[in-house]
Each structure stands twice: as C-alpha cells, then as structure tokens.
C-alpha cells in the first residue's frame, strides 16, 4: 500500500488507475454490460467479444472514482481469455484481490465491476437466445 495522496491504495491499483488497460469499446461487441452506483453516480460500461465460449476481448469505459476505474481496468484483464462459465464465477472480491486489496471505505467500488460482468453475461445470454 502507498500514500501518494491516494490514501492506502496499492501500487497495482494506482498503476491501473494511471494506465488503465483496454479502455474503449469492442467493435461490434457480442455483449455489453452496464453498472452504476446510485450513491456516488459512478458508472462502468463493459463490452465483450466472445467466440467458442471464450472471452476474446474486453474493453471498458468508466466514469468514477480511482478504485472504480482501476477495478474496471483489472476486470478486462481478468476476463480476457476466460471461458464464459469461469467469467460468471468472478466476484468483486476477485477483482479487489487482483488489485492488491482495497481500503475499507472503497471496497464497495469493486462491486461495480462485478455488476458490469453480470450485466454483460446476461446480455450475452439474451443475444444467444434470440439467435436460436
Ligand atoms: Fe463510486 Fe467508488 S466512489 S464507485
């Protein structure tokens, strides 16, 4: 943990906040998920390319606090290459652990990432139902 003016954020979290991975939108996505925290107004949009049951590409756009942005960035890294089944098992705690932990007051911020994953996988399932 460090105190570069960001409280007790880990170096991993600060790196993902300052250099977020996979920012933007997947072109012609197979799934899009949205999540928002009504308490603070922060939002995450997650888009995925999926083929043969595996997430090939994940991108995000986020408007929010440093933990929400770092969490969304880490989420895209964690998701890329996973099977859809394994992605469905990812939790906000997995994201928080991958970020090197979150200060107690920011633990709720990683929930946005989990909600965005759930929303995207729901969208994927809904699209596959309409293709049948
Ligand atoms: Fe809103 Fe972090 S303060 S998600």
């Amino acid at each position: 943990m460090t105190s570069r003016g960001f409280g007790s954020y880990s170096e991993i979290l600060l790196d993902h906040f300052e250099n977020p991975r996979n920012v933007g939108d997947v072109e012609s996505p197979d799934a899009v998920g949205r999540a928002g925290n009504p308490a603070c107004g922060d939002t995450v949009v997650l888009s995925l390319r999926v083929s043969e049951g595996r997430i090939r590409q994940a991108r995000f756009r986020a408007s929010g606090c440093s933990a929400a942005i770092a969490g969304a960035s880490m989420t895209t890294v964690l998701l890329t290459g996973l099977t859809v089944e394994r992605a469905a098992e990812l939790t906000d705690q997995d994201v928080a652990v991958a970020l090197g932990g979150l200060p107690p007051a920011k633990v709720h911020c990683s929930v946005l990432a989990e909600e965005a994953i759930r929303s995207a996988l729901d969208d994927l399932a809904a699209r596959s139902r309409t293709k049948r």
Side-chain angles (χ1 to χ4, degrees):
M1 297 282 182
T2 185
S3 62
R4 288 163 35 195
F6 288 93
S8 51
Y9 285 156
S10 74
E11 291 291 339
I12 300 170
L13 188 151
L14 288 174
D15 180 41
H16 275 264
F17 171 56
E18 292 168 355
N19 308 289
R21 319 310 197 261
N22 304 308
V23 175
D25 300 292
V26 169
E27 197 173 326
S28 303
D30 297 300
V32 177
R34 293 180 173 80
N37 182 332
C40 60
D42 293 354
T43 60
V44 171
V45 178
L46 178 66
S47 54
L48 305 176
R49 174 173 318 292
V50 181
S51 65
E52 296 169 356
R54 197 172 286 275
I55 296 170
R56 308 293 174 177
Q57 187 180 32
R59 290 184 177 266
F60 82 96
R61 284 184 286 116
S63 165
C65 71
S66 44
I69 290 167
S73 169
M74 181 58 83
T75 296
T76 63
V77 171
L78 293 174
L79 284 175
T80 303
L82 286 188
T83 63
V84 171
E85 288 75 19
R86 180 67 190 94
E89 295 169 0
L90 268 188
T91 66
D92 61 308
Q93 287 182 358
D94 293 325
V95 175
V97 167
L99 287 172
L102 287 169
K106 304 300 275 184
V107 166
H108 70 278
C109 305
S110 63
V111 173
L112 267 188
E114 181 177 325
E115 287 178 2
I117 295 169
R118 301 277 164 271
S119 173
L121 295 181
D122 285 351
D123 185 45
L124 181 69
R127 292 187 196 209
S128 75
R129 277 196 298 274
T130 58
K131 276 187 196 164
R132 286 183 194 154

